Amino acid sequence: MSATSSSPQLDLLTGLIERVTYHNTENGYCVLRVKAERQKDLVTVVGHASMISAGEFIQASGTWMNDKNYGPQFKANYLNTTAPNTEEGIEKYLASGMIKGIGPVYAKKLVKAFGSQVFEVIETTPHLLRNVEGIGQYRMNTITRAWDDQKIIREIMVFLYQHGISTARAVRIYKIFGADAIRVIKEDPYCLAREIRGIGFKSADQIAQKVGIAKDSPLRIRAGISHVLLETMDEGHCGLPIEVLLTSTAQTLEVPADIVKPVLETELTAGELVGDTLEGEACVFLKGLYLAETLIAKSLKRLFSGKPPWGALDINKAIPWVEERLSIALAESQKEALKLILNSKVSIITGGPGVGKTTLIKSLLKILAAKHLEILLTAPTGRAAKRLSETTGFEAKTIHRLLEYDPEKNNFKKNEEEPLECQLLVVDEVSMLDVPLMHSLLKALPPQAALILVGDIDQLPSVGPGAVLDALIKSEVFTVARLTEIFRQAAQSQIISNAHRINQGLMPLFAQKEDKSDFYFIESKTPEECKDKILELVKNRIPKAFSFDPILEIQVLCPMNRGGVGARSLNIELQKALNPPAQNRVERFGSIYGVGDKVMQIANNYDKDAYNGDIGYIREIHQEEQELKVDYEGRLVSYDFGELDEVVLAYATTIHKAQGSEYPAVVIPLMMQHYPMLKRNLLYTGITRGKQLVILVGQKKALAMAVRDQQAKKRYTKLKEWVRHDAH
């Protein structure tokens, strides 16, 4: 089968595999030496195959490339192998150990006995194998079973390729579904979108059409409903109004809405989805998220009703004691907050930058540590946890580490059966917590423990579903210490004072060119001009004026990924300017990576202990082993080249991805092309990521739009209602 019909630009290579230099059984990556047609010397072929052996005949489509270390290579997009047809090739193939029960000795015996008919004998008349000395019933059965397995794998690979699935992904599919792959895919192609990273709903839907699943099939409509709900979950919702769900599904599938409705009703009756109201509107919720929100409300209410584990405290003595120990003078607002929190078992501390949240937490921890309480500190990201440790002097862990995630079982070891050992849990950056993570955290919290949640309600909500912090504060059920007073030292920072101005709907104040400041606006009329100015700032102007390292200390934060001044486009330009990839580079999934590149993990990978939003630097690239290593704050993590869809370049990131992180210097493009995302909480979050320098580059009109628009996108979440319901 030729692959060139769909890809006429690709070269075709055929030949005999002389040896398999390298084969990774996990991802199928292989390096082959091939005796190719019309080639004098052996050719190196690199590609993916689930099983491969010397002696096999190969058909490959791909491109020629010149590797600086290994010379000319044929990079195969598709590999198809067939059994050899010469006696020499057959013996080599059988001797390779590919067929269980046959090694070099029996390979020679079999070729001598049957010549080029060996494969036919194994396939159709296996009983003849027993005529060969040393082959009894057991070995004969072993050989025929191994031959059948191979045949199945080949069939699967050809089937998947015919349906537009790359060989690398085909290997992944075979790993998950095994010999049943074709049957499973024919029965429910949509399982590919659910189970295989990199295959989306649209690709699975195309395969479904090819294997004969009708457009109005209930299977397709069920998958469409699930797809729309999962997509909305990615937008932060726990559910959707019924009418919105019906319309969106009908549009996605290009079918009438009245076909979708009965399938949705069946799903609701079966309990796969949950129907309920939200603020009086009929909605459909994903079952797992619906249950998680109800259980969060119940857990918090149960905790809140108890007494703090530290018993009665004389606040009037505790405050001067802690002021003396920490050499500080607490403001009246901080003293009031201390009293509130020390009298409550569940409390929330909220406020913007420079209002003394850190001082308040340090004071609380000092007082409660003196009571010999077991205290644990946690935050959603590695950077946030590190910052919490540095500011408090107490060890802080990420939530995943604290709860001891178990990749094999895909859950946390810490739960109701094995709770955390603590009397107080302090959680920072709670605005980033989504519903599933909050639920997991509360499950692991012992009933006698107290809980202090810390976060800035004005920042962006979590990337995942729900709006936990917002719901808990607005429920007005729990103790909330709201800090608003900006302290004198903090007020001297233009970053902090402008962040508060923006929060109040006021335009930020900018320094004059000659004034030394930590906050600047540089006007750019066009996206092209904006891009050029950002490149000049990051590469030359900021390093020269402020001595910041352009890769390690300056972060470009964009309102969105798309567009000429979006994160994707700016990453390519910044990479060219700061770290143009040398010859030892990797091209995968539309990106080029080189040693020294700044990258970000974009999906939680518990096996690697690398999480969505983690930023690291590529330290090593090994072409032969097909792996690279990323340094995450001193910890080296290995990636197969086939796993590089989990990382992206991170010279520029979206503001959403920067939640919970701080950087010495931040550059933010603001253009009218970003208008869908120009919201006050987005701008506020971006600005508060900069510790020592913030520079906005763009149009005053776009800045004014962001400051003016405080209508944060509504999230469909029922947590606030559940908390209030549980409380009354």
Side-chain angles (χ1 to χ4, degrees):
M1 181 186 73
S2 168
T4 55
S5 56
S6 59
S7 308
Q9 76 280 12
L10 298 179
D11 296 312
L12 191 67
L13 179 139
T14 56
L16 190 75
I17 301 171
E18 279 288 320
R19 82 171 172 270
V20 178
T21 307
Y22 175 79
H23 187 218
N24 182 328
T25 54
E26 282 302 306
N27 59 19
Y29 178 78
C30 54
V31 181
L32 314 172
R33 297 287 282 163
V34 176
K35 193 187 283 179
E37 292 175 5
R38 298 186 300 276
Q39 297 284 336
K40 191 171 76 169
D41 300 318
L42 290 180
V43 172
T44 299
V45 176
V46 297
H48 289 81
S50 59
M51 296 179 81
I52 200 132
S53 176
E56 287 183 299
F57 190 74
I58 186 177
Q59 287 178 310
S61 58
T63 50
W64 288 96
M65 55 182 277
N66 195 25
D67 187 274
K68 74 167 181 134
N69 296 319
Y70 307 108
Q73 292 185 344
F74 188 80
K75 187 179 173 187
N77 286 19
Y78 172 65
L79 283 178
N80 186 26
T81 57
T82 53
N85 53 16
T86 66
E87 287 189 10
E88 180 200 0
I90 290 167
E91 187 177 329
K92 189 173 282 191
Y93 174 74
L94 291 173
S96 70
M98 212 46 186
I99 308 290
K100 200 172 175 186
I102 305 175
V105 173
Y106 281 102
K108 196 176 279 298
K109 285 183 180 182
L110 285 164
V111 171
K112 192 176 175 183
F114 304 112
S116 61
Q117 303 303 303
V118 173
F119 297 144
E120 201 177 324
V121 170
I122 296 172
E123 180 100 21
T124 58
T125 51
H127 63 276
L128 294 178
L129 296 174
R130 294 192 61 181
N131 296 336
V132 176
E133 187 194 348
I135 297 182
Q137 186 71 33
Y138 180 78
R139 190 179 291 273
M140 183 195 83
N141 289 342
T142 303
I143 291 168
T144 51
R145 258 198 316 272
W147 180 262
D148 288 343
D149 287 348
Q150 280 225 29
K151 218 167 82 180
I152 289 165
I153 291 167
R154 285 209 171 84
E155 282 171 10
I156 290 169
M157 300 305 276
V158 170
F159 171 82
L160 292 170
Y161 184 72
Q162 285 170 333
H163 289 86
I165 294 169
S166 71
T167 319
R169 290 223 164 94
V171 173
R172 242 186 237 181
I173 290 167
Y174 175 70
K175 283 278 173 195
I176 290 175
F177 298 117
D180 288 335
I182 294 176
R183 181 186 60 77
V184 168
I185 291 164
K186 281 182 174 176
E187 285 176 5
D188 180 10
Y190 301 102
C191 66
L192 296 175
R194 295 192 297 271
E195 302 283 344
I196 310 294
R197 184 174 170 77
I199 298 180
F201 177 79
K202 283 182 179 166
S203 302
D205 198 37
Q206 283 169 359
I207 294 166
Q209 308 292 300
K210 285 184 183 175
V211 298
I213 289 169
K215 277 195 99 171
D216 59 354
S217 155
L219 174 70
R220 183 170 182 258
I221 291 165
R222 219 166 36 244
I225 293 168
S226 177
H227 166 66
V228 169
L229 280 170
L230 288 169
E231 274 210 323
T232 60
M233 187 174 98
D234 290 342
E235 291 168 17
H237 304 297
C238 294
L240 272 183
I242 282 183
E243 291 309 315
V244 174
L245 177 57
L246 288 171
T247 307
S248 297
T249 306
Q251 284 173 349
T252 302
L253 300 177
E254 297 176 343
V255 297
D258 58 2
I259 293 178
V260 179
K261 198 170 182 180
V263 178
L264 176 59
E265 284 168 358
T266 304
E267 291 287 274
L268 287 165
T269 306
E272 296 300 317
L273 302 170
V274 180
D276 201 346
T277 58
L278 182 58
E279 295 172 0
E281 188 176 15
C283 288
V284 175
F285 295 86
L286 285 157
K287 186 179 177 180
L289 292 175
Y290 184 84
L291 283 173
E293 288 204 320
T294 62
L295 292 167
I296 288 170
K298 281 180 179 159
S299 300
L300 286 171
K301 183 70 180 70
R302 201 161 45 243
L303 276 175
F304 189 59
S305 64
K307 290 201 163 36
W310 46 81
L313 270 170
D314 190 335
I315 306 285
N316 295 325
K317 283 183 181 172
I319 289 172
W321 179 87
V322 80
E323 286 180 318
E324 188 185 332
R325 292 295 184 286
L326 296 177
S327 305
I328 55 168
L330 292 168
E332 282 306 313
S333 57
Q334 290 172 315
K335 290 175 185 177
E336 284 305 309
L338 264 177
K339 288 175 187 174
L340 273 174
I341 295 158
L342 289 170
N343 281 316
S344 181
K345 198 156 170 268
V346 176
S347 49
I348 301 166
I349 302 171
T350 189
V355 295
K357 289 199 297 289
T358 301
T359 305
L360 178 61
I361 294 160
K362 278 173 77 173
S363 303
L364 275 165
L365 292 174
K366 191 77 177 171
I367 292 168
L368 295 175
K371 299 281 282 184
H372 306 292
L373 252 66
E374 288 181 83
I375 301 171
L376 290 175
L377 276 67
T378 189
T381 66
R383 282 176 173 250
K386 192 179 174 189
R387 200 171 69 245
L388 185 60
S389 290
E390 288 166 356
T391 54
T392 62
F394 286 74
E395 186 194 4
K397 293 179 179 176
T398 63
I399 295 171
H400 286 90
R401 284 217 180 99
L402 184 78
L403 299 181
E404 297 176 21
Y405 188 81
D406 182 349
E408 283 184 16
K409 293 181 180 172
N410 190 28
N411 60 20
F412 294 106
K413 289 179 185 173
K414 296 292 181 187
N415 51 33
E416 311 93 322
E417 281 80 43
E418 196 185 327
L420 295 164
E421 290 177 14
C422 69
Q423 292 164 288
L424 169 65
L425 179 65
V426 179
V427 190
D428 199 9
E429 296 286 357
V430 177
S431 61
M432 296 179 68
L433 250 67
D434 61 17
V435 165
L437 201 51
M438 185 66 175
H439 178 225
S440 296
L441 198 58
L442 289 171
K443 274 203 304 186
L445 194 62
Q448 71 278 9
L451 178 66
I452 298 175
L453 303 171
V454 186
D456 185 347
I457 195 176
D458 297 312
Q459 283 196 31
L460 286 166
S462 58
V463 174
V468 172
L469 183 65
D470 185 75
L472 299 185
I473 290 175
K474 287 180 179 172
S475 71
E476 298 178 344
V477 169
F478 305 106
T479 301
V480 178
R482 200 184 294 265
L483 301 176
T484 54
E485 184 184 343
I486 305 169
F487 292 97
R488 193 174 65 246
Q489 197 178 347
Q492 290 167 359
S493 161
Q494 286 285 100
I495 296 172
I496 288 173
S497 57
N498 278 329
H500 286 277
R501 283 185 66 85
I502 288 163
N503 225 356
Q504 292 157 20
L506 302 170
M507 285 288 279
L509 301 172
F510 303 110
Q512 301 303 311
K513 281 183 181 175
E514 62 275 6
D515 293 342
K516 194 83 170 168
S517 175
D518 58 3
F519 194 100
Y520 298 90
F521 180 85
I522 297 172
E523 194 150 8
S524 297
K525 289 183 171 60
T526 65
E528 191 65 28
E529 187 189 346
C530 179
K531 180 199 77 180
D532 290 344
K533 283 184 174 174
I534 287 171
L535 291 176
E536 177 61 19
L537 278 164
V538 176
K539 190 178 179 182
N540 299 316
R541 287 180 63 186
I542 297 174
K544 192 177 171 185
F546 297 90
S547 302
F548 288 130
D549 183 291
I551 296 177
L552 299 177
E553 296 180 301
I554 305 172
Q555 188 61 51
V556 177
L557 297 179
C558 305
M560 56 205 289
N561 264 313
R562 296 189 304 277
V565 276
R568 285 192 196 118
S569 177
L570 282 174
N571 262 320
I572 295 165
E573 299 297 331
L574 286 160
Q575 184 190 41
K576 282 181 200 165
L578 303 175
N579 189 47
Q583 280 186 301
N584 187 19
R585 63 189 202 175
V586 189
E587 291 185 51
R588 284 293 188 280
F589 306 104
S591 293
I592 301 171
Y593 302 99
V595 173
D597 272 333
K598 184 196 279 191
V599 292
M600 176 186 278
Q601 176 78 18
I602 58 166
N604 288 337
N605 187 323
Y606 303 107
D607 290 323
K608 296 186 190 298
D609 199 14
Y611 301 101
N612 192 350
D614 285 354
I615 285 181
Y617 303 87
I618 297 174
R619 295 291 181 233
E620 301 169 24
I621 295 177
H622 302 287
Q623 297 290 351
E624 189 79 355
E625 290 82 14
Q626 291 280 294
E627 71 167 17
L628 60 71
K629 293 185 178 178
V630 178
D631 179 350
Y632 292 110
E633 298 190 348
R635 203 168 51 83
L636 277 184
V637 174
S638 295
Y639 293 85
D640 281 335
F641 287 180
E643 297 175 313
L644 291 178
D645 53 349
E646 289 190 16
V647 296
V648 294
L649 292 172
Y651 299 97
T653 74
T654 61
I655 293 170
H656 277 90
K657 287 286 188 191
Q659 283 175 266
S661 296
E662 284 185 344
Y663 312 93
V666 160
V667 178
I668 303 175
L670 285 173
M671 302 295 293
M672 287 308 292
Q673 66 172 234
H674 298 134
Y675 75 90
M677 302 301 290
L678 293 176
K679 310 284 181 197
R680 189 183 296 174
N681 61 351
L682 185 98
L683 178 60
Y684 173 80
T685 303
I687 285 169
T688 53
R689 300 308 89 205
K691 284 196 289 190
Q692 292 159 264
L693 179 68
V694 172
I695 301 178
L696 309 181
V697 185
Q699 297 161 313
K700 283 260 173 74
K701 188 180 175 184
L703 172 63
M705 180 185 265
V707 170
R708 195 169 55 245
D709 194 344
Q710 64 170 333
Q711 281 305 106
K713 198 174 171 188
K714 180 184 173 177
R715 290 193 166 193
Y716 292 100
T717 159
K718 202 173 163 78
L719 182 57
K720 186 174 79 176
E721 284 189 30
W722 285 124
V723 170
R724 282 183 169 170
H725 175 267
D726 259 28
H728 301 304

